[in-house]
Amino acid sequence: KFVAGDLYDVIPLSQDKVGVFIADVSGKGVPAALLMAQTISLLRIFSRGTESPADVLAALNKELSQILEGRFVTAQYVIVDLGRRALRGACAGHPSLFYYDRGRAEVTEKLGASGPPLGLVPGASYATEEWSIGERDKIFLYTDGWTEARSRRGEEFGSARLKELFSKHRDLPAGELLEILRRQQEGFERGAPAHDDATAVMLEF
């Protein structure tokens, strides 16, 4: 159980574009970790030469459907386009990311699942969502280990609590904000055994 099935990657695509990927392989232990490594390898192949997050997820899904054998992978893939000051992303059964729009002083959820987790439905398609970004906007991508963390009484940390904390401290630098979220989650568990892997990526523009 100390071996993770969560994964993330940051992929330079061009001088002003970068891909950001986060995913969670179902199950735990060595089998999940091996599938995690395969998923990263495939991602680095399929992300070359395309600027469509939906197409990348569809290609991953096609390949993983042949090797997962009853398992699946939830995933989000976002392309940051600094030249156009925009984000494009697609989601395969993964929790929605949090987006802080500093100009409007609001936090919203973006990239709800547009298709099933990878590996479940051969031939599944996905949709790309796009929106503009401004100075000091932030996005927070995370796996469900954050929200499914449990206290000693069995209570879940939950997405509402995580979003509330993100909103409360949204104007802090990204590194400080992520550290606060981590401490709050660990304090909530208070020494209870970890329920699942917890992985996150925080971006500030």
Side-chain angles (χ1 to χ4, degrees):
K1 286 189 176 180
F2 285 92
V3 183
D6 281 7
L7 61 141
Y8 75 94
D9 205 0
V10 179
I11 307 165
L13 300 174
S14 68
Q15 186 173 356
D16 58 359
K17 295 183 183 70
V18 62
V20 181
F21 185 80
I22 190 167
D24 182 1
V25 179
S26 64
K28 297 178 177 63
V30 173
L34 292 173
L35 291 171
M36 176 266 287
Q38 286 180 288
T39 301
I40 286 182
S41 297
L42 291 169
L43 169 71
R44 291 177 179 174
I45 295 170
F46 295 138
S47 60
R48 296 172 186 167
T50 178
E51 295 185 4
S52 168
D55 288 350
V56 171
L57 291 187
L60 280 171
N61 179 67
K62 180 180 179 180
E63 193 71 24
L64 291 173
S65 294
Q66 303 174 43
I67 63 175
L68 288 187
E69 298 181 349
R71 291 178 181 265
F72 60 86
V73 179
T74 69
Q76 272 176 346
Y77 182 50
V78 175
I79 294 177
V80 183
D81 187 334
L82 296 175
R84 296 179 57 238
R85 299 177 68 87
L87 289 175
R88 290 189 299 280
C91 179
H94 199 80
S96 300
L97 62 81
F98 298 152
Y99 169 57
Y100 171 40
D101 184 332
R102 184 170 177 265
R104 295 183 178 180
E106 65 178 7
V107 173
T108 57
E109 296 184 36
K110 296 276 193 180
L111 291 189
S114 65
L118 305 175
L120 280 183
V121 182
S125 60
Y126 302 88
T128 293
E129 181 180 343
E130 180 171 343
W131 68 96
S132 300
I133 53 175
E135 184 178 355
R136 295 192 61 191
D137 288 359
K138 294 184 179 73
I139 63 170
F140 177 62
L141 303 90
Y142 63 95
T143 61
D144 61 10
W146 282 80
T147 56
E148 293 178 0
R150 293 176 183 172
S151 68
R152 288 190 174 275
R153 295 177 295 178
E155 179 187 3
E156 281 196 349
F157 193 71
S159 59
R161 194 190 313 266
L162 183 61
K163 184 178 179 181
E164 180 182 357
L165 285 167
F166 178 80
S167 299
K168 180 179 179 181
H169 302 286
R170 62 196 183 191
D171 285 314
L172 290 175
E176 293 180 27
L177 174 52
L178 186 56
E179 179 64 14
I180 284 176
L181 297 180
R182 187 185 67 81
R183 289 179 186 171
Q184 290 289 332
Q185 190 216 42
E186 288 183 352
F188 180 82
E189 290 180 313
R190 292 183 180 174
H195 178 68
D196 198 1
D197 311 326
T199 301
V201 178
M202 181 89 71
L203 303 180
E204 181 175 9
F205 303 99

Short mmCIF file of all heavy atoms in Angstrom, two decimals, residues 96-102 105-110 136-142 146 157-182 184 200-205:
data_model
loop_
_atom_site.label_atom_id
_atom_site.label_comp_id
_atom_site.label_asym_id
_atom_site.label_seq_id
_atom_site.Cartn_x
_atom_site.Cartn_y
_atom_site.Cartn_z
N SER A 96 -13.39 17.48 -10.72
CA SER A 96 -13.23 18.80 -11.34
C SER A 96 -12.11 19.56 -10.66
O SER A 96 -11.89 19.44 -9.44
CB SER A 96 -14.52 19.60 -11.21
OG SER A 96 -15.59 18.95 -11.84
N LEU A 97 -11.36 20.35 -11.43
CA LEU A 97 -10.32 21.19 -10.83
C LEU A 97 -10.94 22.47 -10.28
O LEU A 97 -12.06 22.85 -10.65
CB LEU A 97 -9.21 21.49 -11.84
CG LEU A 97 -9.55 22.26 -13.13
CD1 LEU A 97 -9.62 23.77 -12.90
CD2 LEU A 97 -8.52 21.96 -14.21
N PHE A 98 -10.22 23.15 -9.39
CA PHE A 98 -10.64 24.44 -8.87
C PHE A 98 -9.89 25.54 -9.63
O PHE A 98 -8.68 25.44 -9.81
CB PHE A 98 -10.33 24.59 -7.38
CG PHE A 98 -11.03 23.59 -6.50
CD1 PHE A 98 -10.48 23.19 -5.30
CD2 PHE A 98 -12.26 23.05 -6.87
CE1 PHE A 98 -11.11 22.27 -4.49
CE2 PHE A 98 -12.91 22.13 -6.07
CZ PHE A 98 -12.33 21.74 -4.87
N TYR A 99 -10.64 26.55 -10.06
CA TYR A 99 -10.04 27.67 -10.80
C TYR A 99 -10.34 28.96 -10.06
O TYR A 99 -11.51 29.29 -9.81
CB TYR A 99 -10.60 27.73 -12.22
CG TYR A 99 -10.25 28.99 -12.97
CD1 TYR A 99 -8.93 29.39 -13.15
CD2 TYR A 99 -11.26 29.80 -13.50
CE1 TYR A 99 -8.62 30.55 -13.83
CE2 TYR A 99 -10.95 30.97 -14.19
CZ TYR A 99 -9.63 31.33 -14.35
OH TYR A 99 -9.32 32.49 -15.01
N TYR A 100 -9.28 29.68 -9.71
CA TYR A 100 -9.43 30.99 -9.07
C TYR A 100 -9.25 32.07 -10.10
O TYR A 100 -8.15 32.27 -10.63
CB TYR A 100 -8.42 31.15 -7.93
CG TYR A 100 -8.36 32.56 -7.35
CD1 TYR A 100 -9.52 33.30 -7.16
CD2 TYR A 100 -7.14 33.13 -6.98
CE1 TYR A 100 -9.47 34.58 -6.63
CE2 TYR A 100 -7.08 34.41 -6.45
CZ TYR A 100 -8.25 35.13 -6.29
OH TYR A 100 -8.20 36.41 -5.77
N ASP A 101 -10.34 32.77 -10.40
CA ASP A 101 -10.33 33.92 -11.31
C ASP A 101 -10.14 35.16 -10.45
O ASP A 101 -11.08 35.65 -9.82
CB ASP A 101 -11.67 33.98 -12.07
CG ASP A 101 -11.70 35.09 -13.11
OD1 ASP A 101 -11.00 36.10 -12.93
OD2 ASP A 101 -12.45 34.95 -14.09
N ARG A 102 -8.90 35.66 -10.43
CA ARG A 102 -8.59 36.78 -9.53
C ARG A 102 -9.34 38.04 -9.95
O ARG A 102 -9.76 38.83 -9.11
CB ARG A 102 -7.08 37.04 -9.53
CG ARG A 102 -6.65 38.13 -8.55
CD ARG A 102 -5.13 38.16 -8.43
NE ARG A 102 -4.68 39.23 -7.56
CZ ARG A 102 -4.30 40.43 -7.99
NH1 ARG A 102 -4.32 40.71 -9.30
NH2 ARG A 102 -3.90 41.36 -7.15
N ALA A 105 -12.63 37.63 -8.58
CA ALA A 105 -12.57 37.27 -7.16
C ALA A 105 -13.50 36.10 -6.85
O ALA A 105 -14.26 36.12 -5.88
CB ALA A 105 -12.90 38.47 -6.28
N GLU A 106 -13.43 35.04 -7.69
CA GLU A 106 -14.29 33.89 -7.44
C GLU A 106 -13.56 32.60 -7.77
O GLU A 106 -12.65 32.56 -8.61
CB GLU A 106 -15.58 33.98 -8.27
CG GLU A 106 -15.38 33.91 -9.77
CD GLU A 106 -16.68 33.96 -10.54
OE1 GLU A 106 -17.74 34.19 -9.92
OE2 GLU A 106 -16.65 33.77 -11.78
N VAL A 107 -13.97 31.54 -7.08
CA VAL A 107 -13.45 30.20 -7.31
C VAL A 107 -14.56 29.35 -7.91
O VAL A 107 -15.66 29.28 -7.36
CB VAL A 107 -12.94 29.56 -6.01
CG1 VAL A 107 -12.57 28.09 -6.23
CG2 VAL A 107 -11.74 30.32 -5.47
N THR A 108 -14.29 28.73 -9.03
CA THR A 108 -15.27 27.86 -9.67
C THR A 108 -14.64 26.49 -9.95
O THR A 108 -13.41 26.34 -9.89
CB THR A 108 -15.77 28.46 -11.00
OG1 THR A 108 -14.64 28.70 -11.86
CG2 THR A 108 -16.50 29.77 -10.77
N GLU A 109 -15.49 25.53 -10.23
CA GLU A 109 -15.02 24.20 -10.61
C GLU A 109 -15.06 24.10 -12.13
O GLU A 109 -16.04 24.48 -12.77
CB GLU A 109 -15.88 23.12 -9.97
CG GLU A 109 -15.77 23.12 -8.45
CD GLU A 109 -16.54 21.99 -7.81
OE1 GLU A 109 -16.59 20.89 -8.41
OE2 GLU A 109 -17.10 22.20 -6.72
N LYS A 110 -13.99 23.59 -12.70
CA LYS A 110 -13.87 23.45 -14.15
C LYS A 110 -13.51 22.00 -14.49
O LYS A 110 -13.00 21.26 -13.67
CB LYS A 110 -12.77 24.36 -14.69
CG LYS A 110 -13.03 25.85 -14.50
CD LYS A 110 -13.91 26.41 -15.60
CE LYS A 110 -13.91 27.91 -15.61
NZ LYS A 110 -14.78 28.45 -16.69
N ARG A 136 -2.13 36.13 -12.01
CA ARG A 136 -2.29 35.59 -10.67
C ARG A 136 -3.53 34.71 -10.51
O ARG A 136 -3.92 34.39 -9.39
CB ARG A 136 -2.24 36.69 -9.61
CG ARG A 136 -0.90 37.38 -9.52
CD ARG A 136 -0.77 38.26 -8.28
NE ARG A 136 -0.90 37.47 -7.06
CZ ARG A 136 -1.04 38.02 -5.85
NH1 ARG A 136 -1.07 39.33 -5.72
NH2 ARG A 136 -1.17 37.26 -4.79
N ASP A 137 -4.14 34.33 -11.62
CA ASP A 137 -5.14 33.26 -11.55
C ASP A 137 -4.44 31.97 -11.12
O ASP A 137 -3.24 31.80 -11.33
CB ASP A 137 -5.80 33.04 -12.90
CG ASP A 137 -6.76 34.16 -13.29
OD1 ASP A 137 -6.93 35.11 -12.50
OD2 ASP A 137 -7.34 34.08 -14.38
N LYS A 138 -5.21 31.06 -10.53
CA LYS A 138 -4.65 29.77 -10.09
C LYS A 138 -5.57 28.64 -10.52
O LYS A 138 -6.79 28.81 -10.62
CB LYS A 138 -4.51 29.71 -8.57
CG LYS A 138 -3.50 30.67 -7.95
CD LYS A 138 -3.43 30.40 -6.44
CE LYS A 138 -2.43 31.31 -5.75
NZ LYS A 138 -2.93 32.70 -5.64
N ILE A 139 -4.97 27.46 -10.75
CA ILE A 139 -5.76 26.25 -10.86
C ILE A 139 -5.17 25.19 -9.93
O ILE A 139 -3.95 25.15 -9.69
CB ILE A 139 -5.87 25.71 -12.29
CG1 ILE A 139 -4.50 25.29 -12.86
CG2 ILE A 139 -6.55 26.70 -13.20
CD1 ILE A 139 -4.63 24.55 -14.18
N PHE A 140 -6.06 24.37 -9.39
CA PHE A 140 -5.68 23.33 -8.44
C PHE A 140 -6.24 22.00 -8.94
O PHE A 140 -7.45 21.81 -8.97
CB PHE A 140 -6.23 23.67 -7.05
CG PHE A 140 -5.95 22.62 -6.00
CD1 PHE A 140 -4.65 22.31 -5.65
CD2 PHE A 140 -6.99 21.98 -5.33
CE1 PHE A 140 -4.38 21.37 -4.67
CE2 PHE A 140 -6.73 21.03 -4.35
CZ PHE A 140 -5.43 20.72 -4.01
N LEU A 141 -5.37 21.11 -9.39
CA LEU A 141 -5.75 19.79 -9.83
C LEU A 141 -5.40 18.80 -8.73
O LEU A 141 -4.33 18.90 -8.12
CB LEU A 141 -5.01 19.40 -11.12
CG LEU A 141 -5.14 20.32 -12.34
CD1 LEU A 141 -4.04 21.37 -12.34
CD2 LEU A 141 -5.05 19.50 -13.63
N TYR A 142 -6.27 17.83 -8.48
CA TYR A 142 -6.03 16.92 -7.36
C TYR A 142 -6.66 15.56 -7.63
O TYR A 142 -7.58 15.43 -8.45
CB TYR A 142 -6.58 17.51 -6.06
CG TYR A 142 -8.09 17.71 -6.07
CD1 TYR A 142 -8.94 16.74 -5.56
CD2 TYR A 142 -8.66 18.87 -6.61
CE1 TYR A 142 -10.32 16.92 -5.58
CE2 TYR A 142 -10.03 19.05 -6.63
CZ TYR A 142 -10.85 18.07 -6.12
OH TYR A 142 -12.21 18.24 -6.14
N TRP A 146 -7.39 13.32 -1.73
CA TRP A 146 -7.59 14.53 -0.92
C TRP A 146 -8.97 14.55 -0.30
O TRP A 146 -9.13 14.81 0.90
CB TRP A 146 -7.40 15.77 -1.79
CG TRP A 146 -5.98 16.11 -2.05
CD1 TRP A 146 -5.16 15.53 -2.97
CD2 TRP A 146 -5.20 17.10 -1.38
NE1 TRP A 146 -3.91 16.11 -2.92
CE2 TRP A 146 -3.91 17.07 -1.96
CE3 TRP A 146 -5.46 18.01 -0.37
CZ2 TRP A 146 -2.88 17.91 -1.55
CZ3 TRP A 146 -4.44 18.85 0.05
CH2 TRP A 146 -3.17 18.80 -0.53
N PHE A 157 -13.06 14.01 4.38
CA PHE A 157 -12.66 15.41 4.25
C PHE A 157 -13.58 16.14 3.28
O PHE A 157 -14.05 17.24 3.56
CB PHE A 157 -11.20 15.48 3.77
CG PHE A 157 -10.56 16.81 3.88
CD1 PHE A 157 -10.23 17.35 5.11
CD2 PHE A 157 -10.27 17.55 2.74
CE1 PHE A 157 -9.63 18.59 5.22
CE2 PHE A 157 -9.66 18.78 2.83
CZ PHE A 157 -9.34 19.31 4.07
N GLY A 158 -13.84 15.55 2.12
CA GLY A 158 -14.85 16.04 1.19
C GLY A 158 -14.40 17.18 0.30
O GLY A 158 -13.52 17.97 0.64
N SER A 159 -15.03 17.27 -0.88
CA SER A 159 -14.67 18.31 -1.85
C SER A 159 -15.13 19.69 -1.41
O SER A 159 -14.47 20.69 -1.71
CB SER A 159 -15.27 17.97 -3.22
OG SER A 159 -16.67 17.87 -3.15
N ALA A 160 -16.25 19.78 -0.69
CA ALA A 160 -16.74 21.09 -0.23
C ALA A 160 -15.75 21.72 0.74
O ALA A 160 -15.47 22.93 0.67
CB ALA A 160 -18.12 20.95 0.41
N ARG A 161 -15.21 20.93 1.66
CA ARG A 161 -14.23 21.44 2.63
C ARG A 161 -12.96 21.87 1.92
O ARG A 161 -12.37 22.91 2.23
CB ARG A 161 -13.93 20.35 3.66
CG ARG A 161 -13.19 20.86 4.91
CD ARG A 161 -12.70 19.69 5.75
NE ARG A 161 -13.72 18.68 5.96
CZ ARG A 161 -14.54 18.64 7.01
NH1 ARG A 161 -14.45 19.56 7.96
NH2 ARG A 161 -15.43 17.66 7.13
N LEU A 162 -12.51 21.06 0.95
CA LEU A 162 -11.29 21.39 0.21
C LEU A 162 -11.48 22.69 -0.58
O LEU A 162 -10.60 23.56 -0.58
CB LEU A 162 -10.94 20.24 -0.74
CG LEU A 162 -9.65 20.38 -1.54
CD1 LEU A 162 -8.44 20.47 -0.61
CD2 LEU A 162 -9.49 19.18 -2.50
N LYS A 163 -12.62 22.84 -1.23
CA LYS A 163 -12.89 24.06 -2.00
C LYS A 163 -12.98 25.27 -1.09
O LYS A 163 -12.48 26.36 -1.42
CB LYS A 163 -14.18 23.89 -2.80
CG LYS A 163 -14.49 25.07 -3.71
CD LYS A 163 -15.77 24.82 -4.50
CE LYS A 163 -16.10 26.01 -5.41
NZ LYS A 163 -17.36 25.76 -6.17
N GLU A 164 -13.59 25.11 0.07
CA GLU A 164 -13.71 26.22 1.01
C GLU A 164 -12.33 26.69 1.48
O GLU A 164 -12.06 27.90 1.56
CB GLU A 164 -14.54 25.79 2.22
CG GLU A 164 -14.73 26.87 3.27
CD GLU A 164 -15.53 26.39 4.47
OE1 GLU A 164 -15.98 25.23 4.46
OE2 GLU A 164 -15.69 27.19 5.43
N LEU A 165 -11.43 25.75 1.76
CA LEU A 165 -10.08 26.12 2.19
C LEU A 165 -9.31 26.79 1.06
O LEU A 165 -8.59 27.78 1.28
CB LEU A 165 -9.33 24.87 2.67
CG LEU A 165 -9.71 24.33 4.04
CD1 LEU A 165 -9.14 22.94 4.23
CD2 LEU A 165 -9.24 25.28 5.13
N PHE A 166 -9.45 26.26 -0.15
CA PHE A 166 -8.80 26.87 -1.30
C PHE A 166 -9.29 28.31 -1.49
O PHE A 166 -8.50 29.23 -1.73
CB PHE A 166 -9.09 26.03 -2.55
CG PHE A 166 -8.51 26.58 -3.82
CD1 PHE A 166 -7.18 26.38 -4.14
CD2 PHE A 166 -9.30 27.29 -4.71
CE1 PHE A 166 -6.63 26.89 -5.32
CE2 PHE A 166 -8.77 27.80 -5.88
CZ PHE A 166 -7.43 27.60 -6.19
N SER A 167 -10.59 28.52 -1.35
CA SER A 167 -11.17 29.86 -1.52
C SER A 167 -10.69 30.81 -0.42
O SER A 167 -10.38 31.97 -0.69
CB SER A 167 -12.70 29.77 -1.50
OG SER A 167 -13.18 28.98 -2.55
N LYS A 168 -10.62 30.31 0.78
CA LYS A 168 -10.24 31.16 1.92
C LYS A 168 -8.82 31.69 1.78
O LYS A 168 -8.53 32.85 2.13
CB LYS A 168 -10.37 30.35 3.22
CG LYS A 168 -10.00 31.13 4.47
CD LYS A 168 -10.19 30.26 5.71
CE LYS A 168 -9.80 31.01 6.98
NZ LYS A 168 -9.96 30.16 8.19
N HIS A 169 -7.91 30.87 1.25
CA HIS A 169 -6.49 31.24 1.19
C HIS A 169 -6.03 31.49 -0.25
O HIS A 169 -4.83 31.48 -0.53
CB HIS A 169 -5.65 30.12 1.81
CG HIS A 169 -5.99 29.82 3.23
ND1 HIS A 169 -5.65 30.66 4.27
CD2 HIS A 169 -6.68 28.79 3.78
CE1 HIS A 169 -6.07 30.14 5.42
NE2 HIS A 169 -6.71 29.02 5.15
N ARG A 170 -6.96 31.78 -1.15
CA ARG A 170 -6.68 31.82 -2.58
C ARG A 170 -5.65 32.86 -3.00
O ARG A 170 -5.00 32.70 -4.04
CB ARG A 170 -8.00 32.08 -3.33
CG ARG A 170 -8.63 33.42 -2.96
CD ARG A 170 -10.08 33.48 -3.40
NE ARG A 170 -10.66 34.80 -3.10
CZ ARG A 170 -11.95 35.05 -3.18
NH1 ARG A 170 -12.79 34.10 -3.55
NH2 ARG A 170 -12.40 36.26 -2.91
N ASP A 171 -5.46 33.93 -2.24
CA ASP A 171 -4.54 34.98 -2.65
C ASP A 171 -3.10 34.75 -2.18
O ASP A 171 -2.21 35.55 -2.50
CB ASP A 171 -5.03 36.35 -2.15
CG ASP A 171 -6.20 36.87 -2.96
OD1 ASP A 171 -6.12 36.80 -4.21
OD2 ASP A 171 -7.20 37.32 -2.38
N LEU A 172 -2.87 33.68 -1.44
CA LEU A 172 -1.50 33.34 -1.05
C LEU A 172 -0.72 32.82 -2.27
O LEU A 172 -1.32 32.32 -3.22
CB LEU A 172 -1.51 32.27 0.04
CG LEU A 172 -2.01 32.68 1.42
CD1 LEU A 172 -2.06 31.45 2.33
CD2 LEU A 172 -1.11 33.75 2.02
N PRO A 173 0.61 32.94 -2.25
CA PRO A 173 1.39 32.31 -3.32
C PRO A 173 1.08 30.82 -3.39
O PRO A 173 0.75 30.19 -2.38
CB PRO A 173 2.84 32.56 -2.88
CG PRO A 173 2.77 33.78 -2.01
CD PRO A 173 1.46 33.69 -1.29
N ALA A 174 1.21 30.26 -4.59
CA ALA A 174 0.78 28.88 -4.82
C ALA A 174 1.41 27.89 -3.85
O ALA A 174 0.73 27.00 -3.32
CB ALA A 174 1.10 28.48 -6.26
N GLY A 175 2.71 28.02 -3.61
CA GLY A 175 3.39 27.09 -2.72
C GLY A 175 2.85 27.13 -1.30
O GLY A 175 2.65 26.10 -0.66
N GLU A 176 2.60 28.34 -0.80
CA GLU A 176 2.06 28.49 0.55
C GLU A 176 0.64 27.95 0.64
O GLU A 176 0.26 27.29 1.61
CB GLU A 176 2.09 29.97 0.97
CG GLU A 176 3.49 30.54 1.15
CD GLU A 176 3.44 32.00 1.57
OE1 GLU A 176 2.45 32.42 2.19
OE2 GLU A 176 4.41 32.73 1.26
N LEU A 177 -0.14 28.22 -0.38
CA LEU A 177 -1.52 27.74 -0.39
C LEU A 177 -1.56 26.21 -0.39
O LEU A 177 -2.33 25.59 0.37
CB LEU A 177 -2.24 28.30 -1.62
CG LEU A 177 -3.65 27.80 -1.91
CD1 LEU A 177 -4.55 27.93 -0.69
CD2 LEU A 177 -4.24 28.55 -3.09
N LEU A 178 -0.74 25.58 -1.20
CA LEU A 178 -0.72 24.13 -1.24
C LEU A 178 -0.29 23.55 0.10
O LEU A 178 -0.84 22.54 0.56
CB LEU A 178 0.22 23.66 -2.36
CG LEU A 178 0.25 22.17 -2.65
CD1 LEU A 178 -1.13 21.64 -2.98
CD2 LEU A 178 1.22 21.86 -3.78
N GLU A 179 0.66 24.19 0.75
CA GLU A 179 1.12 23.70 2.05
C GLU A 179 0.02 23.81 3.10
O GLU A 179 -0.15 22.90 3.93
CB GLU A 179 2.35 24.49 2.49
CG GLU A 179 2.92 24.09 3.84
CD GLU A 179 3.45 22.67 3.88
OE1 GLU A 179 3.63 22.06 2.80
OE2 GLU A 179 3.68 22.16 4.99
N ILE A 180 -0.75 24.88 3.07
CA ILE A 180 -1.87 25.02 4.01
C ILE A 180 -2.89 23.91 3.79
O ILE A 180 -3.40 23.30 4.75
CB ILE A 180 -2.53 26.41 3.88
CG1 ILE A 180 -1.64 27.46 4.53
CG2 ILE A 180 -3.93 26.43 4.51
CD1 ILE A 180 -2.14 28.88 4.39
N LEU A 181 -3.23 23.65 2.53
CA LEU A 181 -4.20 22.59 2.24
C LEU A 181 -3.68 21.24 2.75
O LEU A 181 -4.44 20.44 3.32
CB LEU A 181 -4.46 22.52 0.73
CG LEU A 181 -5.10 23.75 0.09
CD1 LEU A 181 -5.28 23.52 -1.41
CD2 LEU A 181 -6.44 24.08 0.73
N ARG A 182 -2.40 20.98 2.54
CA ARG A 182 -1.82 19.72 3.00
C ARG A 182 -1.89 19.59 4.52
O ARG A 182 -2.27 18.54 5.06
CB ARG A 182 -0.37 19.61 2.53
CG ARG A 182 0.27 18.26 2.81
CD ARG A 182 1.75 18.26 2.43
NE ARG A 182 2.53 19.15 3.29
CZ ARG A 182 2.95 18.83 4.52
NH1 ARG A 182 2.67 17.65 5.03
NH2 ARG A 182 3.66 19.68 5.22
N GLN A 184 -3.95 21.09 6.58
CA GLN A 184 -5.34 20.97 7.02
C GLN A 184 -5.85 19.54 6.81
O GLN A 184 -6.57 18.99 7.66
CB GLN A 184 -6.22 21.94 6.25
CG GLN A 184 -6.01 23.41 6.61
CD GLN A 184 -6.55 23.76 7.99
OE1 GLN A 184 -7.49 23.14 8.46
NE2 GLN A 184 -5.95 24.74 8.62
N ALA A 200 -1.48 16.38 -5.95
CA ALA A 200 -2.03 17.65 -6.40
C ALA A 200 -1.01 18.42 -7.21
O ALA A 200 0.20 18.26 -7.03
CB ALA A 200 -2.48 18.50 -5.21
N VAL A 201 -1.52 19.27 -8.10
CA VAL A 201 -0.71 20.21 -8.85
C VAL A 201 -1.37 21.57 -8.73
O VAL A 201 -2.56 21.72 -9.00
CB VAL A 201 -0.61 19.81 -10.35
CG1 VAL A 201 0.22 20.85 -11.11
CG2 VAL A 201 0.00 18.43 -10.51
N MET A 202 -0.60 22.57 -8.32
CA MET A 202 -1.09 23.95 -8.21
C MET A 202 -0.34 24.81 -9.22
O MET A 202 0.90 24.83 -9.24
CB MET A 202 -0.85 24.48 -6.79
CG MET A 202 -1.36 25.89 -6.57
SD MET A 202 -3.07 25.95 -6.01
CE MET A 202 -2.90 25.31 -4.33
N LEU A 203 -1.07 25.55 -10.04
CA LEU A 203 -0.47 26.46 -11.01
C LEU A 203 -0.92 27.88 -10.72
O LEU A 203 -2.11 28.12 -10.46
CB LEU A 203 -0.88 26.10 -12.44
CG LEU A 203 -0.57 24.70 -12.95
CD1 LEU A 203 -1.07 24.58 -14.39
CD2 LEU A 203 0.91 24.42 -12.89
N GLU A 204 0.02 28.82 -10.77
CA GLU A 204 -0.29 30.24 -10.64
C GLU A 204 0.31 30.96 -11.83
O GLU A 204 1.46 30.69 -12.20
CB GLU A 204 0.26 30.80 -9.34
CG GLU A 204 -0.05 32.28 -9.14
CD GLU A 204 0.39 32.80 -7.79
OE1 GLU A 204 1.08 32.06 -7.06
OE2 GLU A 204 0.06 33.95 -7.44
N PHE A 205 -0.44 31.86 -12.44
CA PHE A 205 -0.01 32.48 -13.69
C PHE A 205 0.56 33.88 -13.44
O PHE A 205 0.04 34.62 -12.63
CB PHE A 205 -1.18 32.56 -14.67
CG PHE A 205 -1.75 31.20 -14.93
CD1 PHE A 205 -2.88 30.78 -14.27
CD2 PHE A 205 -1.12 30.32 -15.79
CE1 PHE A 205 -3.39 29.50 -14.47
CE2 PHE A 205 -1.61 29.05 -16.00
CZ PHE A 205 -2.75 28.65 -15.33
#
